Amino acid sequence: MFPPTDVFTRPKKTNWSKDSFRGCCFDYLENALKDEPSTATLLDIGCGNNDFEKITSRFRYTGVDFFPYKPVSVVSDLGKPLPFESKSFDIVFANSTLEHIPNPWDTIDEVYRVLKSGGKFVGGIPFLVKEHQEPYDFVRFTEYGLKSVLSRAGFVDIDVTPMGPPLHTYESIQRFFFRELHHSPLGWEWWRVARIVERVIMWQMRVLRPLYKKAQRSGVLAEGFGFSAKRI
């Protein structure tokens, strides 16, 4: 398995819009771990650049990833058994990781194995977002699919919460749709028409934004999900 071409130069991200998937995930995970003691051992699977270091840094941290990013303590194939003893961590953290593993259900089984009794598994996973870090983007879970695989692995006290308001999801899809359209083999005249249509849609979105923002979050139009679960 070879890394994406920008794997070692991709800048670390620390600030996101509060309505974005990442921003919502940060708030969700920070809240999920707020009562955990700083003496807890935390395994960050697929840690990458540890973008959520503000959350994880107060714990006894171990980072594992496919590739040797700077925060990585152990380089390992996350699709295979994790190179850690059973019941060795209080917390396992997976921020936008499971979608990059071809067999994430097996990884979830491994997370259960390495967690101590009563330990927590927390993370975030995208849903209605574009492919990213190609060609290593393999899986999307619905709210119910994620609950099912966590339950099957043995986890209890499972919470799966939609991340991002529907308006933000819609705007993201619209933005990527027109971006792809601009790269399609249309003639110059059709490209100009597409640009006008995009601007009209963006204008009405701005006008009606106060109304659209009242739409409740749901798994139907979620950019992703935050999740937490406990090992028995």
Side-chain angles (χ1 to χ4, degrees):
M1 189 175 193
F2 297 96
T5 54
D6 64 343
V7 71
F8 302 123
T9 58
R10 190 181 303 126
K12 184 172 183 174
K13 299 179 181 178
T14 56
N15 295 301
W16 304 271
S17 162
K18 284 290 184 180
D19 285 340
S20 70
F21 167 64
R22 288 285 188 140
C24 291
C25 266
F26 182 93
D27 290 344
Y28 177 89
L29 296 172
E30 185 176 47
N31 184 66
L33 297 179
K34 66 180 181 181
D35 295 327
E36 300 299 316
S38 58
T39 53
T41 53
L42 182 146
L43 175 65
D44 188 353
I45 61 172
C47 64
N49 282 320
N50 192 11
D51 290 346
F52 285 6
E53 183 180 7
K54 289 182 180 178
I55 298 175
T56 62
S57 61
R58 72 182 184 88
F59 299 106
R60 294 162 59 194
Y61 181 88
T62 300
V64 59
D65 204 311
F66 291 104
F67 313 116
Y69 291 91
K70 187 175 180 180
V72 172
S73 313
V74 178
V75 175
S76 179
D77 185 341
L78 303 180
K80 296 179 179 179
L82 295 172
F84 306 102
E85 295 183 2
S86 298
K87 298 185 177 182
S88 50
F89 294 95
D90 298 298
I91 302 165
V92 174
F93 189 91
N95 173 39
S96 296
T97 295
L98 296 177
E99 74 271 20
H100 297 298
I101 303 172
N103 51 323
W105 31 87
D106 293 334
T107 304
I108 291 172
D109 287 339
E110 277 295 288
V111 168
Y112 191 90
R113 179 184 66 80
V114 302
L115 271 173
K116 297 177 183 178
S117 296
K120 295 184 73 171
F121 180 30
V122 300
I125 186 169
F127 182 44
L128 294 178
V129 301
K130 75 178 188 73
E131 292 179 347
H132 56 284
Q133 293 190 20
E134 300 92 331
Y136 306 115
D137 189 358
F138 302 109
V139 178
R140 296 290 184 271
F141 283 111
T142 66
E143 175 181 354
Y144 307 104
L146 185 54
K147 286 179 178 177
S148 177
V149 294
L150 289 168
S151 178
R152 184 190 62 82
F155 286 100
V156 296
D157 296 344
I158 298 168
D159 176 74
V160 177
T161 298
M163 297 287 103
L167 175 61
H168 196 276
T169 305
Y170 174 82
E171 289 178 328
S172 295
I173 293 172
Q174 175 187 294
R175 182 171 62 255
F176 290 119
F177 170 77
F178 280 104
R179 184 178 298 175
E180 288 300 311
L181 195 62
H182 294 163
H183 293 111
S184 65
L186 296 174
W188 171 253
E189 295 81 5
W190 281 109
W191 183 84
R192 290 183 65 185
V193 170
R195 285 287 294 169
I196 293 171
V197 170
E198 180 182 11
R199 288 172 180 174
V200 169
I201 293 174
M202 291 174 64
W203 175 82
Q204 68 89 13
M205 291 296 292
R206 284 196 295 269
V207 171
L208 297 176
R209 178 176 289 273
L211 175 63
Y212 291 148
K213 289 190 73 172
K214 293 181 180 180
Q216 298 297 311
R217 296 184 186 184
S218 73
V220 177
L221 280 174
E223 283 192 272
F225 301 99
F227 64 87
S228 65
K230 185 173 75 173
R231 173 178 173 153
I232 298 175

